[in-house]
Amino acid sequence: MPSLPMPITDVFVSLADPRQTNKVQHSLAETLTVAVCGILVGADTFEEIQAWAREKLPWFRRYLELPN
């Protein structure tokens, strides 16, 4: 029986988060997941990733928490 693919967020869960805790709005795993998806669709800069992610926010919220 084939196993299900690992969610991309699981790849990033074990990474240490170097950010200042009081400035964090999203988990590192979710932030990196959005960034990787943006790069895969052709975004080349942080600004392009951000613009694309905002456009796709309803879709992302089906799979990620993204509380803020």
Side-chain angles (χ1 to χ4, degrees), residues 1-39:
M1 176 194 242
S3 62
L4 295 174
M6 179 183 358
I8 192 169
T9 52
D10 289 358
V11 174
F12 302 119
V13 163
S14 63
L15 294 176
D17 191 345
R19 301 175 296 169
Q20 295 176 1
T21 308
N22 61 335
K23 294 182 179 180
V24 172
Q25 293 186 3
H26 301 290
S27 78
L28 182 63
E30 289 188 345
T31 301
L32 292 173
T33 298
V34 170
V36 168
C37 290
I39 291 166

Side-chain angles (χ1 to χ4, degrees), residues 34-35 38-39 43-57 60:
V34 170
I39 291 166
D44 293 323
T45 66
F46 293 121
E47 292 80 11
E48 288 178 359
I49 293 169
Q50 181 182 28
W52 175 81
R54 281 191 175 147
E55 189 177 300
K56 300 298 181 185
L57 188 58
F60 274 118

